[in-house]
Amino acid sequence: MMENSAENTVFRYRGSTFDSMIESLGAVFGTFDADLVGRTRDFYWALDLAGCENATLITGHHQTGFQFRAQWCSEATEHLSIVVPRRGGMGVTYGSRMAEAREEKLLLYRNFELDSISIQGQSNLIDELVLNWSLIQRTIGETFDIPFSGSLDLLPEVDLSTPVGRTIGNLTEAIIDGIRDNGPLCQSPIATAHITQALADVVIRMVPHRLSHLLDKKPHMIAPGHVRRGIEFMCANVNQPITMPMVADAAGVSTRALEAGFRAFKNTTPAAYLQMLRLRAAREDLLDPENRMLMKEICLKWGFFQFGRFAAVYRAHYGENPSETRRRVCGSNSRRSF
């Protein structure tokens, strides 16, 4: 593992109880329930938190090893964590699976999938780079051009002796060093956006997961003319009340042939593809700081007539609620009624 300034960290948060540690971690993850497994004598912890757009760095020191169970509340925020052990290690369990960060191995995990976390070794020292799950969701959408929700089933351990591991490790170290102690990335949102996007791209393209098989197919799977014509019609009329028979008619095929073409070449249905286009359009409106439309107006503009349903689909696709997107862009003082 590369040398890092974690050893010189000045910890701003410290304590001697498990509950106080969980409360401090809530500043990053939001409220979640946790239970210590077994008894730990002389429990001592210290944390330092640093963050910028899309990423947060948690540096943690623990006097002794311990294990705890975690249950994530609906108010908690979703993240992908990359764990870099400096001394000792860290392990996670989810279902019947176990994974560890230790010497020459990084650990990748999505916080919502965890059952338990174990901190290993005496005088443990861990850096944990936390990426907003919305960044991962966006990268998935742009890479595979399909709607996605649920577990990515990402391979959790990354071997730093491999070319892929070294690339992920080097990018992770660069972001950590750029964030720590109010570093240069905290002063340059554009640079932060580019380097965190680069890391997300490498993870999605190089670390095995449930969609990895599509990477081999995509460059060779050129969609036939009727699928392309259907997509062109959808894009040109994305804000209109179009139906699948209308799309099929514009593509010059039957609805059954249109469905088969989208499943074969886009790994989705025409209706789901249209929904993805509309979600993207609605997100562009939400990300536009000059857009003064009410949330309800944006929903209706892009064909979403039930706000609750729109919010659920939006969160599944982008990893955050539409109100969180708008609040991040417009600022916490913005007040809009539905």
Side-chain angles (χ1 to χ4, degrees), residues 18 21-22 25 29 32-38 40 43 58 62 65-72 81 83 89-94 97-101 107 109-120 124 126 128:
F18 175 76
M21 184 189 73
I22 296 302
L25 287 174
F29 294 109
F32 66 99
D33 295 327
D35 297 305
L36 191 61
V37 177
T40 301
F43 190 92
I58 305 173
H62 307 91
F66 61 95
Q67 181 181 1
F68 67 93
R69 289 184 292 264
Q71 184 173 1
W72 303 90
S81 284
V83 179
M90 175 174 162
V92 297
T93 64
Y94 40 106
R97 300 178 64 183
M98 300 178 62
E100 289 184 332
L107 170 65
Y109 73 88
R110 173 176 170 241
N111 61 312
F112 275 22
E113 297 179 21
L114 292 186
D115 293 324
S116 68
I117 298 173
S118 62
I119 301 298
Q120 303 158 358
N124 181 285
I126 294 285
E128 184 170 346

Side-chain angles (χ1 to χ4, degrees), residues 274-331:
L274 176 60
Q275 182 183 75
M276 181 191 66
L277 292 176
R278 287 174 167 166
L279 278 174
R280 284 183 181 176
R283 184 171 174 82
E284 288 177 4
D285 277 351
L286 292 171
L287 288 170
D288 181 3
E290 302 301 319
N291 190 310
R292 300 305 179 199
M293 295 177 69
L294 300 177
M295 191 82 73
K296 182 177 180 179
E297 293 172 334
I298 292 175
C299 289
L300 293 176
K301 174 183 176 181
W302 299 112
F304 296 97
F305 301 104
Q306 295 182 337
F307 178 74
R309 173 62 179 162
F310 166 73
V313 174
Y314 186 96
R315 177 177 173 81
H317 195 69
Y318 292 110
E320 62 182 2
N321 291 318
S323 58
E324 293 173 320
T325 303
R326 168 152 276 181
R327 186 162 55 247
R328 189 174 70 251
V329 173
C330 299

Side-chain angles (χ1 to χ4, degrees), residues 80 131 135-136 138-144 154 164 167-168 171 193-207 209 215:
L80 175 71
L131 300 178
L135 171 65
I136 305 302
R138 183 172 67 249
T139 303
I140 293 170
E142 293 172 352
T143 302
F144 298 102
L154 195 70
V164 170
T167 299
I168 292 175
L171 283 169
H194 284 307
I195 194 170
T196 53
Q197 183 63 69
L199 177 56
D201 285 335
V202 172
V203 168
I204 294 303
R205 291 181 180 276
M206 300 298 176
V207 178
H209 53 76
L215 292 168

Side-chain angles (χ1 to χ4, degrees), residues 1-297:
M1 197 71 224
M2 296 172 58
E3 291 297 323
N4 191 276
S5 56
E7 293 285 355
N8 300 319
T9 298
V10 177
F11 295 102
R12 290 175 291 172
Y13 308 94
R14 60 185 68 240
S16 57
T17 66
F18 175 76
D19 288 343
S20 62
M21 184 189 73
I22 296 302
E23 183 178 355
S24 295
L25 287 174
V28 176
F29 294 109
T31 303
F32 66 99
D33 295 327
D35 297 305
L36 191 61
V37 177
R39 295 183 177 181
T40 301
R41 295 182 58 187
D42 301 324
F43 190 92
Y44 172 82
W45 62 270
L47 294 175
D48 193 59
L49 309 176
C52 56
E53 184 71 17
N54 284 333
T56 301
L57 172 62
I58 305 173
T59 301
H61 166 67
H62 307 91
Q63 182 174 321
T64 58
F66 61 95
Q67 181 181 1
F68 67 93
R69 289 184 292 264
Q71 184 173 1
W72 303 90
C73 308
S74 58
E75 295 81 8
T77 52
E78 200 168 0
H79 298 92
L80 175 71
S81 284
I82 303 178
V83 179
V84 184
R86 307 300 180 184
R87 289 197 308 270
M90 175 174 162
V92 297
T93 64
Y94 40 106
S96 61
R97 300 178 64 183
M98 300 178 62
E100 289 184 332
R102 53 188 184 276
E103 187 176 0
E104 295 303 314
K105 277 199 175 182
L106 302 180
L107 170 65
L108 278 62
Y109 73 88
R110 173 176 170 241
N111 61 312
F112 275 22
E113 297 179 21
L114 292 186
D115 293 324
S116 68
I117 298 173
S118 62
I119 301 298
Q120 303 158 358
Q122 301 295 311
S123 192
N124 181 285
L125 184 63
I126 294 285
D127 273 334
E128 184 170 346
L129 181 64
V130 180
L131 300 178
N132 291 350
W133 189 251
S134 57
L135 171 65
I136 305 302
Q137 289 276 40
R138 183 172 67 249
T139 303
I140 293 170
E142 293 172 352
T143 302
F144 298 102
D145 200 26
I146 60 172
F148 174 79
S149 61
S151 173
L152 187 58
D153 200 17
L154 195 70
L155 183 72
E157 295 181 356
V158 175
D159 189 340
L160 290 170
S161 67
T162 66
V164 170
R166 286 193 295 272
T167 299
I168 292 175
N170 288 336
L171 283 169
T172 300
E173 293 286 9
I175 296 171
I176 287 174
D177 286 342
I179 293 176
R180 198 189 305 279
D181 297 327
N182 196 34
L185 288 181
C186 297
Q187 317 307 319
S188 178
I190 294 176
T192 303
H194 284 307
I195 194 170
T196 53
Q197 183 63 69
L199 177 56
D201 285 335
V202 172
V203 168
I204 294 303
R205 291 181 180 276
M206 300 298 176
V207 178
H209 53 76
R210 63 181 285 199
L211 301 180
S212 293
H213 66 284
L214 301 179
L215 292 168
D216 294 332
K217 293 174 61 177
K218 191 173 181 181
H220 309 288
M221 298 290 282
I222 300 175
H226 70 278
V227 173
R228 296 198 302 272
R229 288 192 297 272
I231 291 174
E232 289 170 359
F233 180 80
M234 290 180 187
C235 291
N237 299 276
V238 67
N239 63 336
Q240 300 299 316
I242 59 177
T243 64
M244 291 308 104
M246 293 169 62
V247 177
D249 186 60
V253 295
S254 67
T255 54
R256 180 174 295 181
L258 183 74
E259 179 96 9
F262 268 81
R263 288 190 180 277
F265 292 92
K266 292 298 181 181
N267 292 282
T268 189
T269 65
Y273 195 93
L274 176 60
Q275 182 183 75
M276 181 191 66
L277 292 176
R278 287 174 167 166
L279 278 174
R280 284 183 181 176
R283 184 171 174 82
E284 288 177 4
D285 277 351
L286 292 171
L287 288 170
D288 181 3
E290 302 301 319
N291 190 310
R292 300 305 179 199
M293 295 177 69
L294 300 177
M295 191 82 73
K296 182 177 180 179
E297 293 172 334

